[in-house]
Amino acid sequence: MNAGDLVPGRRPGGRLPGRLFVTVCLVYLLHFAPNVVRETYLAIALGDDFSIRVDPYLGLHPDLFQIPGRGAYIDNNPGASLLGALPYVVARPVLALLFRLKPELVAPKPAATYDDPRPNRTRFMNEARARGLDVKLGLAAATMHAGLMVPLAGLATVLVFLFLRDRTGSEDLAKWLALLYAFGTPMFFRSGFLNQNMILAHCTLLAYLALAWRPPESLPEYRRLFAAGLCLGFGLLCDYSAAPLLLAFGLWVVAIHFGKGGAAAGVRAGASFALGAAGPIALLLGYQWAAFGNPLLPAQAYMPSTDLSVEGWHGFRVPSAELLWGNLFHRGYGLFAFCPMLVAAVLAPRYRNRMGGLNAGE
């Protein structure tokens, strides 16, 4: 214990959350991946022109597509791009000054050799160079990494630490588990670039903490329910894969409150949760209306399919057992292949109500 911990009224280890945040941010900053994903283009369009159209970047990414008479759009929801646009807007005056002083950075450039066995990367690099966009796209991706993904990861780590400290009663155990969360899970490398799946994971964590964490200064119940719905509603604004999470959390909310106070309590809890989700969902419907002319059809309904045998909604198909297995165990991208310890989550019900474990409802 150091001298600062002996100050009256200060909880021992009170500086630890700040140290965790700084540590995570510094390490994550060093692991920037200059991946220019589809969400990056929309974030730049929002920051440059306050536009949802990505016409200047059509042809640079396979998930950018054009609707005749309406323009070009990204093949996904806009939530991650909305967040990514914020740090880009802050950095934009600096980037504009840089490009005025060094116009050669945004001038068209000749083709270059890109040492990568994947031909699509070489094709993208040279197409971006030909348009004078290579440096701009790289710097934009860097601002979104440093200004969004890094602080989100640091904040998530601190929240996990505080939650586990309250749950376990052990600050040391909570610290090491929080560091494991930061550096031993796919969050580490997924945060190297603007990533809607990682943002959805953060939204899910926040929703869980809103419902499961009961610190002394906790919010009133209806606000907690509203906050959980808001987080997962924003998750849906980022990606439609949040839909089953919204359903699962909604059922959890209704079931718990139904068990405590009957049908009326369950309905009120479900309504508070749904009200929180309603705002981001309304924004998503408004985006789809503005972009595609129909609020109920997602981008995947308009994205041209590379598989000519597929009819109907390109991008939506019957759930595939093979794809589910691959998402879990494929050595190239499977969740458990990259983080085997997550398999232990299936044992959580066995250890419910033990130190730091889940309760029956959770």
Side-chain angles (χ1 to χ4, degrees), residues 204-226:
T204 307
L205 171 66
L206 291 174
Y208 173 76
L209 294 180
L211 298 176
W213 192 11
R214 292 292 193 278
E217 62 279 6
S218 61
L219 296 172
E221 187 67 16
Y222 74 92
R223 292 188 181 180
R224 301 167 67 87
L225 296 170
F226 181 91

Side-chain angles (χ1 to χ4, degrees), residues 280-354:
I281 292 175
L283 184 57
L284 174 60
L285 297 179
Y287 167 80
Q288 291 176 171
W289 195 355
F292 315 128
N294 188 325
L296 300 180
L297 288 182
Q300 287 84 356
Y302 303 92
M303 177 71 180
S305 176
T306 57
D307 184 352
L308 299 180
S309 66
V310 177
E311 297 180 357
W313 282 22
H314 303 312
F316 286 96
R317 305 192 186 180
V318 175
S320 164
E322 180 181 1
L323 183 58
L324 175 61
W325 179 265
N327 280 331
L328 296 178
F329 298 106
H330 192 281
R331 66 179 183 177
Y333 56 86
L335 179 65
F336 295 141
F338 276 81
C339 191
M341 73 174 181
L342 292 181
V343 177
V346 301
L347 301 175
R350 177 179 177 84
Y351 296 98
R352 63 182 181 273
N353 295 325
R354 299 192 185 183

Side-chain angles (χ1 to χ4, degrees), residues 13-279:
R15 297 179 181 176
L16 190 52
R19 291 172 177 172
L20 277 173
F21 181 83
V22 171
T23 299
V24 170
C25 288
L26 287 176
V27 175
Y28 274 50
L29 277 172
L30 296 174
H31 288 80
F32 165 56
N35 290 17
V36 181
V37 295
R38 59 194 170 190
E39 287 79 15
T40 308
Y41 298 101
L42 177 53
I44 295 173
L46 287 167
D48 282 347
D49 305 310
F50 201 63
S51 172
I52 59 175
R53 292 174 54 165
V54 293
D55 301 61
Y57 312 107
L58 192 64
L60 289 175
H61 195 287
D63 282 344
L64 306 183
F65 67 96
Q66 187 171 31
I67 301 177
R70 298 196 68 90
Y73 302 93
I74 68 168
D75 180 27
N76 202 26
N77 297 355
S81 299
L82 291 171
L83 292 181
L86 299 177
Y88 176 72
V89 167
V90 173
R92 188 168 176 265
V94 178
L95 298 181
L97 176 62
L98 173 64
F99 296 148
R100 281 199 300 270
L101 296 175
K102 295 280 189 179
E104 64 271 19
L105 294 178
V106 288
K109 305 173 185 67
T113 300
Y114 188 48
D115 187 13
D116 194 295
R118 292 158 289 193
N120 283 341
R121 299 203 170 194
T122 300
R123 193 176 302 119
F124 158 74
M125 185 64 162
N126 284 324
E127 180 63 26
R129 286 174 60 85
R131 301 188 195 187
L133 290 172
D134 52 330
V135 175
K136 177 179 178 177
L137 292 175
L139 291 177
T143 67
M144 297 171 201
H145 164 69
L148 176 65
M149 301 306 296
V150 168
L152 280 181
L155 176 62
T157 303
V158 169
L159 290 175
V160 167
F161 164 73
L162 295 174
F163 171 68
L164 291 176
R165 184 178 67 178
D166 284 355
R167 273 290 179 100
T168 65
S170 170
E171 184 167 76
D172 198 51
L173 177 60
K175 175 188 69 177
W176 289 112
L177 289 176
L179 288 171
L180 181 62
Y181 177 75
F183 299 113
T185 70
M187 183 174 76
F188 190 7
F189 292 120
R190 280 287 185 172
S191 297
F193 56 96
L194 182 63
N195 186 284
Q196 88 281 4
N197 294 314
M198 195 64 253
I199 294 175
L200 173 54
H202 291 318
C203 290
T204 307
L205 171 66
L206 291 174
Y208 173 76
L209 294 180
L211 298 176
W213 192 11
R214 292 292 193 278
E217 62 279 6
S218 61
L219 296 172
E221 187 67 16
Y222 74 92
R223 292 188 181 180
R224 301 167 67 87
L225 296 170
F226 181 91
L230 179 65
C231 291
L232 289 175
F234 191 86
L236 191 70
L237 183 62
C238 291
D239 197 278
Y240 271 110
S241 61
L245 293 167
L246 263 170
L247 177 62
F249 273 71
L251 290 175
W252 175 27
V253 163
V254 172
I256 291 299
H257 287 80
F258 179 86
K260 291 180 178 179
V267 170
R268 286 194 299 270
S272 296
F273 179 82
L275 186 62

